[in-house]
């Protein structure tokens, strides 16, 4: 793949920020959008806009075909067995909450356990807190190694016959660690537990095969993978979706409605009450077309190579602390770091003055920040349109910040 050529497809990358070219390194928060995705959404609104499923006129048929074709596209992208295992949602957060409310609350009992790492994004932690509180279940946390990795022997020790759910991110949004979800699923299933995978940071960056992974549920967002905001996916094995109750009720998801009781359609439509996110689904399908044209294997190697270079270069700067796997060890396409006693918000502000956009804060992972005894961190995250020149710009900007904050580095 040629990142320089790909950059031409992304209009926003031509922006000038504070007199500098834009170096966009906040891809773990959201990605930029290529013209192909923007044009697919515009084309829908200009030529096919209608509500889906219920209309018999031409526009209704076109919109329905485009929407359901998008579901088929998603199923192929994640290698699901059937499009009926794909539910459109507003994003990863909504998908995980739907599992916690529609599946877990009906299954959990007092004394049951939910196993998860303390490094999870709040969206894969708070819903389980609430489910445990409502049912009497208990949260059990996996220990982390100093570099944030998880040992399978610790998973073996934590998962027991009392475990009902194991919830885990495939890739940590803070540390860039890639968790062995296939092996974790094997351990969980051996004890009769299900596995919920947060794929927000993995599905955009590496090939995904839910059958090989053997997860029971997978959640991810469109906006992190070149798609529009407001669209996400909940994948569930057919048997799990059949067991799961809807969390939204109203139009479209119903089968028969009487005055005192109602019945629902089968999955996935029973989970998509009301007018769905039609344009978002169409945009997501276009994004997946673009990503597969480039090649997910190429993207995975490209992103990891940039992150490895950034870790190596940043680690050479006195005062920089790298979180997660150290230089030379495998990580996904992001690096989280701090510069001495400089608050990450101040560091990010200085970098922005040089046109370099990074994320600063607790990254929706406050328990992990407490484990590392820091209030916040800075994070640079890479994608298919980033280049080695972007890594150089990041390092140069950090060096300028070090000089600017001099007294706070030691």
């Amino acid at each position: 793949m040629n990142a320089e050529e790909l950059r031409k497809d992304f209009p926003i990358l031509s922006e000038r920020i504070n007199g500098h070219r834009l170096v966009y390194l906040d891809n773990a928060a959201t990605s930029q959008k290529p013209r192909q995705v923007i044009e697919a959404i515009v084309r829908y609104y200009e030529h096919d806009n209608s509500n889906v499923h219920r209309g018999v006129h031409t526009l209704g048929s076109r919109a329905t075909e485009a929407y359901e074709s998008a579901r088929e596209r998603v199923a192929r992208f994640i290698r699901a067995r059937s499009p009926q295992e794909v539910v459109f949602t507003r994003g990863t957060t909504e998908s995980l909450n739907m599992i916690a409310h529609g599946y877990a609350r009906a299954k959990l009992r007092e004394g049951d356990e939910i196993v998860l790492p303390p490094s999870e994004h709040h969206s894969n932690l708070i819903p389980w807190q609430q489910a445990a509180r409502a049912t009497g279940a208990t949260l059990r946390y996996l220990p982390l190694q100093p570099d944030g990795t998880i040992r399978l022997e610790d998973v073996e020790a934590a998962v027991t016959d009392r475990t009902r759910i194991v919830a885990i991110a495939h890739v940590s949004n803070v540390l860039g660690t890639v968790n062995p979800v296939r092996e974790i699923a094997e351990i969980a299933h051996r004890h009769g537990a299900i596995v919920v995978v947060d794929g927000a940071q993995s599905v955009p960056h590496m090939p995904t095969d839910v059958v090989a992974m053997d997860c029971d549920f997978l959640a991810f967002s469109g906006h992190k993978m070149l798609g529009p905001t407001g669209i996400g996916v909940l994948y569930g094995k057919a048997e799990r979706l059949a067991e799961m109750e809807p969390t939204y009720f109203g139009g479209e998801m119903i089968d028969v409605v009487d005055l005192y009781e109602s019945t629902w359609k089968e999955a996935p439509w029973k989970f998509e009450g009301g007018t769905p996110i039609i344009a978002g689904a169409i945009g997501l399908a276009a994004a997946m077309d673009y990503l597969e044209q480039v090649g997910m294997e190429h993207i995975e190697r490209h992103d990891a190579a940039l992150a490895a270079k950034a870790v190596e270069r940043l680690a050479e700067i006195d005062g920089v602390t790298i979180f997660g796997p150290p230089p030379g060890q495998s990580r996904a396409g992001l690096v989280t770091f701090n510069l001495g006693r400089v608050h990450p918000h101040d560091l990010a502000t200085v970098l922005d003055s040089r046109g370099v956009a990074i994320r600063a804060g607790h990254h929706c992972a406050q328990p992990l920040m407490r484990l590392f005894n820091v209030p916040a961190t800075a994070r640079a995250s890479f994608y298919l349109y980033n280049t080695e020149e972007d890594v150089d710009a990041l390092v140069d900007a950090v060096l300028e910040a070090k000089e600017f904050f001099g007294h706070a580095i030691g």
Side-chain angles (χ1 to χ4, degrees), residues 25 175-176 299-316 322-337 380-383 386-388 390-392 394-395:
L25 301 178
L175 303 172
I299 294 169
E300 180 180 20
R301 288 194 295 269
H302 172 80
D303 297 350
L306 291 181
K309 178 178 180 180
V311 169
E312 181 181 353
R313 294 283 310 281
L314 289 169
E316 295 171 349
I322 305 286
F323 299 91
Q329 291 192 15
S330 176
R331 68 162 63 222
L334 63 88
V335 53
T336 299
F337 63 98
S381 48
F382 304 93
Y383 211 5
N386 289 122
T387 64
E388 291 193 359
D390 292 340
V391 176
D392 294 338
L394 167 68
V395 173

Side-chain angles (χ1 to χ4, degrees), residues 115 160 234:
V115 174
T160 70
L234 165 60

Side-chain angles (χ1 to χ4, degrees), residues 78 87 89 91-99 123-124 128 168-171 195-204 208 210 213 215-222 224-225 231-236:
I78 63 174
V87 179
T89 68
T92 306
T93 298
E94 181 171 80
S95 297
L96 293 168
N97 273 274
M98 288 170 65
I99 303 165
S123 293
N124 202 28
W128 306 117
I168 189 165
H170 193 176
V171 171
V195 176
V196 178
V197 176
D198 175 354
Q201 300 298 335
S202 61
V203 177
T208 301
V210 292
M213 195 186 301
C215 58
D216 295 274
F217 293 103
L218 172 75
F220 60 96
S221 299
K224 295 181 189 291
M225 53 189 301
I231 185 70
V233 170
L234 165 60
Y235 157 82

Side-chain angles (χ1 to χ4, degrees), residues 91-240:
T92 306
T93 298
E94 181 171 80
S95 297
L96 293 168
N97 273 274
M98 288 170 65
I99 303 165
H101 284 76
Y103 183 88
R105 291 196 182 204
K107 298 289 185 179
L108 293 172
R109 300 291 181 268
E110 187 171 354
D112 290 344
E113 293 182 349
I114 304 167
V115 174
L116 67 164
S119 52
E120 291 302 297
H121 189 285
H122 296 162
S123 293
N124 202 28
L125 192 157
I126 298 172
W128 306 117
Q129 289 179 344
Q130 298 302 308
R133 181 174 300 167
T135 62
T138 302
L139 299 178
R140 185 170 182 178
Y141 287 97
L142 296 168
L144 295 180
Q145 297 305 296
D147 62 357
T149 54
I150 295 169
R151 300 187 308 175
L152 287 175
E153 51 262 46
D154 291 327
V155 179
E156 290 273 14
V159 176
T160 70
D161 290 343
R162 292 192 301 273
T163 305
R164 297 293 174 264
I165 297 169
V166 177
I168 189 165
H170 193 176
V171 171
S172 167
N173 73 301
V174 178
L175 303 172
T177 49
V178 182
N179 291 317
V181 292
R182 176 64 188 91
E183 292 81 0
I184 291 171
E186 192 278 327
I187 295 169
H189 292 154
R190 197 190 317 143
H191 291 275
I194 69 158
V195 176
V196 178
V197 176
D198 175 354
Q201 300 298 335
S202 61
V203 177
H205 297 276
M206 59 184 65
T208 301
D209 186 332
V210 292
V211 175
M213 195 186 301
D214 201 22
C215 58
D216 295 274
F217 293 103
L218 172 75
F220 60 96
S221 299
H223 71 95
K224 295 181 189 291
M225 53 189 301
L226 310 186
T229 56
I231 185 70
V233 170
L234 165 60
Y235 157 82
K237 289 181 177 177
E239 59 269 29
R240 299 300 176 215

Side-chain angles (χ1 to χ4, degrees), residues 250 254-264:
I254 55 88
D255 180 21
V256 176
V257 177
D258 207 341
L259 290 177
Y260 297 101
E261 61 182 33
S262 301
T263 57
W264 329 126

